[in-house]
Amino acid sequence: MDNVKKGMAFLLAAVLALGCVWGSSKVLDTRLFHLRDNLIYNTGLEKYNCPDAFDDILNENSVLLLGSSELSLGEENTHPQIVFNNGNGDFQTVVMGAPNNQSLSHAIHLGALADKCKSNKVVLILSPQWFTADGVSSGAFSSRFYPQMFDGFMKNKRISDRTKKRVVKRCKSLLEKDPKQKKRVELYEKIYLTGDIDPFDYLYLNLTEQFLEIQSKYNVVRTQENPKLSREGWYNPRALTLPTAPERVKTSEIDFQALLESAEEKGEQSCTNNPFYISDTSFNKMSKVRDAGIRTSNRNLTSSNSPEYEDLELFLQVCRETGIEVMLVSVPVNGYWYDYTGSSKTDRETYYQNIRNIAEQNGVQLADYSDREYEPYFLRDIMHLGWKGWAYLDEQIYQFYQAD
């Protein structure tokens, strides 16, 4: 009888707790809806661990833009946040990506967000620096492993068990040094793949997920109201204070040729203290430039055997299974700088050709900028899109969005 009473008490407590969770969730959903325009170009990590934050921004008039550190607003006047008027326009690129995000993490993110992508289109900006001999490091992957996104990925019924098993296996390998996250992956594996989880563990995990969902929403709202509270100090004053023109922008009326000419002008003004067409701001931060060792620092930039290629194939498999149309973006390195620091042109061209082959074999569109290594102002530093790079890509993303 005592066990029955304890069981009833536990169930009652669980029901009451779930009731509180449901009520809190609805309140936070309302607050997220009112913050939707602020979230489109937000690069805070709190947003990235909250699939619900994307509910009202991934609409028919948007494309999901995946990448890494280049997505944060820099000094360019051609960044999508500026060109598409900071959310006040008829087309937007909803950004998701931070340093250490690579193909595998984006395969997980896409799996979680695919059903929210009303346009069924996504753009993935690739970085040559991802495709090293070792691929994504354990520490980098762990730092960008978002439990709520992984839960959404595993729940997506359009993704095959075979693909989920491949992703789970890769995740467990990369999370060996992060036992807490690895255990979470193993629990999801038991729930969604093997089915051999203990009923009490199942109940515990479900309750935990309910509370984590609330926490993730709350963290988004909290950091929107006070951005300095964002994890890792991910605080970009320029992005937060960027003015928004009151008149709604019509993307079809944007003069992209004029934008490119403006990019050339801004780039020329910003790159004056070095022969590499690196912005003065970036070059001043590169203290190693005077170190003799820098001359050989990029000899092994990429590897044809990089595990990243398989991770990219996993990403494309998720695209196929979820019915998402993808455009890959092949961003070059700064040819002047990489020649100076010992990078092999042959190895770089091999990498660029590998990306072309993958795009062709998978039947996906490729925005191939690999022939622009030496184009001034295409990059703002040695690897990140700059004034002209964004000008070209803004237009190409919009054309991709418009195409049937």
Side-chain angles (χ1 to χ4, degrees), residues 68-71 76 127 331-332 378-387 390:
S68 50
S69 52
E70 70 281 330
L71 295 182
E76 311 82 44
S127 296
V331 176
F378 185 90
L379 301 173
R380 73 168 181 256
D381 47 29
I382 64 174
M383 65 181 75
H384 296 105
L385 286 169
W387 305 267
W390 276 121

Side-chain angles (χ1 to χ4, degrees), residues 7-18:
M8 292 296 291
F10 175 78
L11 288 174
L12 178 60
V15 169
L16 291 173
L18 287 173

